[in-house]
Amino acid sequence: MKEKVVLAYSGGLDTTAIIPWLKETFDYDVICCCIDVGQGSELDGLEERAKLSGAAKLYIEDVVDDFCDNYIVPCLKADAIYEDKYLLGTSMARPAIAKRLVEIARKEGAVAICHGATGKGNDQIRFELSIKALAPDIKVIAPWRMTDVWTMQSREDEIEYCRNHGIDLPFSQDSSYSRDRNLWHISHEGLELEDPANEPNYEHLLVLSVPPQKAPDESEYVTITFEKGIPTSVNGEKMKVADIIRKLNILGGRHGIGIIDIVENRVVGMKSRGVYETPGGTILMEAHKQLEELVLDRATMETKKDLGNKFAQVVYEGKWFTPLSEAIQAFMDVTQEYVTGEVHFRLYKGNIIKAGTTSPYSLYSESLASFTTGDLYDHHDADGFITLFGLPLKVRAMKMQELEKNNQK
């Protein structure tokens, strides 16, 4: 009996060409595994394509709810945003995909897992660190790094290779963007985006959204409720997290929300430029932050912001299944105990405009915050506070004066 390899399969040209290559190079039976994290129509026709390409078996695994509940929600709780812009759409999905690949490999008794990520990108790191953490005994095959046996360098090479192996599928020379899509976002790279001096061609590029200038001239009100940091309803309708994201993707896309153009620092050391559409995720992140403003005390917010930035880096670098990731998530869960309430806002031409936030655990006191004197605050108390708070400054200034006088003698 032949040994088996599990291939992270998308149905695109790269992974189609990898199927006969794995059989020819290693004499493996190839188990194709397509992990559904919300790619939508990209999954159409995969079964026939995998069979034509020589796969022994195809799994199509729906992990959308797992992706939302166990990967997106922890990042939402942490307000995790990489380099202040990127909402980690691809980064969060890779460990979810890798985990299911490992589970299928165990089920099939496979000796290896293969992925089609290139040697220049972040995804190779995310896949392989997750596999190492979950299944250190399973071998990883990365064809694009195996230049001694993987000799294809272009789409034309791959198309010709497939045809030579009896696989004549409707692939053509690609003149579109390189995209990655899941329920949370869609990313775009390539074409004019390869030069940061170029303005993105949004008319050609956008999939989920319209440019803000083409959004409706009328704003739209939206209300989101949270319970312990987890979104539970939109406009009064309770639904699971996945459906909330779907709903907000439609609303946000209509109003041009969540389009970013970023030059980011990849883990492998290079800068890359991309455009990300994250309409629903951008709304959820902003609504969550607005609720935390009411509920979290200053010291907790400061520490949470620092750890949120650290968590974004951890996720971006593919270190989801690590003790540090677990520890940060545990901290975040504690901070979310009272992040419950309702956030009301307006969507208008790319903007999310506050329209009122309420929480039964709000730390905001109107009597304290108003300009009138309340029962809890005596203006005279500020005298002693400022004296003590400014004492180090005063002592240093006195010392500097003393030194200056001594120098003048």
Side-chain angles (χ1 to χ4, degrees), residues 49-211:
R49 182 169 295 183
K51 183 178 179 181
L52 287 171
S53 304
K57 188 182 294 187
L58 170 67
Y59 286 87
I60 298 179
E61 299 288 296
D62 184 344
V63 300
V64 171
D65 287 333
D66 176 55
F67 174 43
C68 291
D69 298 339
N70 298 311
Y71 299 86
I72 289 177
V73 166
C75 289
L76 176 62
K77 287 180 175 180
D79 303 308
I81 302 174
Y82 181 69
E83 296 188 337
D84 297 323
K85 283 189 176 181
Y86 173 43
L87 272 61
L88 299 170
T90 301
S91 310
M92 294 185 294
R94 295 321 188 206
I97 292 170
K99 185 171 184 289
R100 187 53 61 94
L101 290 174
V102 167
E103 291 168 354
I104 297 298
R106 294 297 192 206
K107 178 180 177 180
E108 289 287 340
V111 299
I113 293 173
C114 177
H115 66 78
T118 73
K120 283 188 174 181
N122 294 315
D123 283 341
Q124 57 181 338
I125 299 168
R126 296 164 183 158
F127 280 131
E128 295 185 36
L129 263 60
S130 295
I131 294 167
K132 289 177 187 295
L134 298 172
D137 56 303
I138 292 181
K139 182 167 63 174
V140 176
I141 298 174
W144 282 99
R145 299 203 306 263
M146 302 171 68
T147 54
D148 54 334
V149 286
W150 176 269
T151 58
M152 291 168 274
Q153 298 297 315
S154 66
R155 288 184 65 84
E156 291 79 11
D157 289 346
E158 291 178 313
I159 290 169
E160 184 65 23
Y161 181 84
C162 287
R163 286 176 180 163
N164 290 338
H165 288 77
I167 306 165
D168 193 5
L169 294 171
F171 294 117
S172 61
Q173 183 174 352
D174 195 359
S175 60
S176 65
Y177 298 95
S178 173
R179 291 184 166 107
D180 179 77
R181 182 173 185 172
N182 58 48
L183 189 66
W184 186 250
H185 88 155
I186 183 167
S187 65
H188 312 266
E189 295 178 344
L191 299 186
E192 80 276 1
L193 300 180
E194 292 188 349
D195 185 350
N198 293 332
E199 179 181 4
N201 182 3
Y202 287 120
E203 299 292 333
H204 180 219
L205 181 150
L206 296 177
V207 174
L208 301 176
S209 314
V210 298

Side-chain angles (χ1 to χ4, degrees), residues 381-395:
D381 293 339
D383 289 336
F385 169 75
I386 294 171
T387 298
L388 295 178
F389 196 63
L391 187 59
L393 300 176
K394 185 174 182 178
V395 169

Side-chain angles (χ1 to χ4, degrees), residues 119-399:
K120 283 188 174 181
N122 294 315
D123 283 341
Q124 57 181 338
I125 299 168
R126 296 164 183 158
F127 280 131
E128 295 185 36
L129 263 60
S130 295
I131 294 167
K132 289 177 187 295
L134 298 172
D137 56 303
I138 292 181
K139 182 167 63 174
V140 176
I141 298 174
W144 282 99
R145 299 203 306 263
M146 302 171 68
T147 54
D148 54 334
V149 286
W150 176 269
T151 58
M152 291 168 274
Q153 298 297 315
S154 66
R155 288 184 65 84
E156 291 79 11
D157 289 346
E158 291 178 313
I159 290 169
E160 184 65 23
Y161 181 84
C162 287
R163 286 176 180 163
N164 290 338
H165 288 77
I167 306 165
D168 193 5
L169 294 171
F171 294 117
S172 61
Q173 183 174 352
D174 195 359
S175 60
S176 65
Y177 298 95
S178 173
R179 291 184 166 107
D180 179 77
R181 182 173 185 172
N182 58 48
L183 189 66
W184 186 250
H185 88 155
I186 183 167
S187 65
H188 312 266
E189 295 178 344
L191 299 186
E192 80 276 1
L193 300 180
E194 292 188 349
D195 185 350
N198 293 332
E199 179 181 4
N201 182 3
Y202 287 120
E203 299 292 333
H204 180 219
L205 181 150
L206 296 177
V207 174
L208 301 176
S209 314
V210 298
Q213 63 269 27
K214 290 201 170 183
D217 292 331
E218 299 295 325
S219 64
E220 183 172 1
Y221 282 98
V222 179
T223 301
I224 299 177
T225 59
F226 289 84
E227 294 180 10
K228 296 188 176 183
I230 302 172
T232 56
S233 74
V234 177
N235 294 335
E237 183 182 354
K238 284 191 170 292
M239 56 186 88
K240 63 182 181 180
V241 174
D243 288 337
I244 287 175
I245 295 171
R246 291 186 181 100
K247 175 74 171 178
L248 293 177
N249 276 339
I250 294 171
L251 295 175
R254 183 159 65 226
H255 292 276
I257 304 295
I259 302 167
I260 67 162
D261 178 357
I262 181 175
V263 175
E264 68 193 66
N265 291 293
R266 285 184 179 174
V267 183
V268 292
M270 70 182 70
K271 289 184 180 290
S272 66
R273 195 268 189 103
V275 170
Y276 297 92
E277 296 178 74
T278 320
T282 300
I283 293 170
L284 278 178
M285 283 285 191
E286 181 59 28
H288 182 255
K289 288 179 182 178
Q290 288 183 25
L291 184 55
E292 286 186 324
E293 286 179 359
L294 283 186
V295 173
L296 298 185
D297 63 275
R298 180 184 178 188
T300 300
M301 284 193 72
E302 288 177 349
T303 303
K304 184 176 184 295
K305 184 176 181 179
D306 290 341
L307 282 177
N309 288 334
K310 184 62 179 178
F311 189 55
Q313 182 181 349
V314 166
V315 176
Y316 188 83
E317 293 178 350
K319 299 176 181 176
W320 188 278
F321 300 109
T322 61
L324 177 57
S325 174
E326 292 178 14
I328 295 176
Q329 289 183 60
F331 171 85
M332 295 303 172
D333 285 341
V334 172
T335 70
Q336 300 301 291
E337 183 67 25
Y338 300 107
V339 182
T340 295
E342 184 175 277
V343 184
H344 195 49
F345 51 89
R346 287 188 295 140
L347 305 179
Y348 181 68
K349 292 189 179 296
N351 296 291
I352 302 170
I353 304 166
K354 283 185 179 182
T357 308
T358 60
S359 170
Y361 304 107
S362 173
L363 298 180
Y364 183 91
S365 170
E366 189 172 346
S367 64
L368 276 174
S370 68
F371 285 100
T372 59
T373 301
D375 296 336
L376 294 177
Y377 196 91
D378 186 333
H379 286 274
H380 295 96
D381 293 339
D383 289 336
F385 169 75
I386 294 171
T387 298
L388 295 178
F389 196 63
L391 187 59
L393 300 176
K394 185 174 182 178
V395 169
R396 182 180 185 280
M398 292 171 64
K399 184 64 176 178

